[in-house]
Amino acid sequence: QVQLVESGGGLVQAGGSLRLSCAASGRTFSGVNMGWFRQAPGKEREFVAAFTRSGVSTLYADSVKGRFTISRDNAKNTVFLQMNSLKPDDTAVYYCAARRPSRVGSVMVEDVYDYWGQGTQVTVSS
């Protein structure tokens, strides 16, 4: 059984930083096939960051470009999300997701992903 376990969430003041981690177990996932989404209170879950299918480039939601960075450690089946210059609007539950390489479709769409972590809360105070 595939498990994705996120860590690194917490409470931070506006302008601060957090680094989220997501470790996959039960199956070998290239970090290329993993991404991050988030869900704020009262809102739908939205895309945050992912790698392109080639793994050469990265994709970000417009709201986090220039502030968030996705990275991976393939040897450890782990993907990271470095979040800098955090804003209160970044407050949400952050989810790690993984997809089988055979899945087609945009990596920015949650339907493409087969496995999800339990989420980690990020709260940014003003």
Side-chain angles (χ1 to χ4, degrees):
Q1 182 153 353
V2 174
Q3 275 195 316
L4 301 178
V5 179
E6 300 105 333
S7 61
L11 174 64
V12 64
Q13 288 188 331
S17 299
L18 284 174
R19 188 189 193 212
L20 305 184
S21 299
C22 174
S25 62
R27 178 180 175 142
T28 299
F29 274 105
S30 166
V32 170
N33 298 310
M34 299 172 72
W36 290 95
F37 289 74
R38 68 185 182 185
Q39 186 168 21
K43 295 186 178 181
E44 294 187 350
R45 189 156 56 187
E46 64 177 4
F47 169 77
V48 176
F51 297 97
T52 59
R53 289 188 177 276
S54 67
V56 174
S57 300
T58 52
L59 296 169
Y60 297 95
D62 288 343
S63 58
V64 306
K65 279 180 183 176
R67 300 187 298 120
F68 289 12
T69 302
I70 188 172
S71 60
R72 64 185 189 263
D73 183 336
N74 289 338
K76 296 183 178 180
N77 283 3
T78 301
V79 65
F80 306 96
L81 186 67
Q82 178 66 43
M83 305 185 296
N84 298 329
S85 302
L86 282 162
K87 306 174 182 179
D89 284 348
D90 295 318
T91 295
V93 177
Y94 283 71
Y95 295 92
C96 170
R99 64 184 186 274
R100 297 189 300 270
S102 59
R103 291 295 294 266
V104 297
S106 169
V107 300
M108 301 172 68
V109 177
E110 61 178 274
D111 289 349
V112 168
Y113 294 86
D114 301 291
Y115 309 100
W116 293 83
Q118 81 288 353
T120 185
Q121 177 70 47
V122 171
T123 302
V124 185
S125 62
S126 56

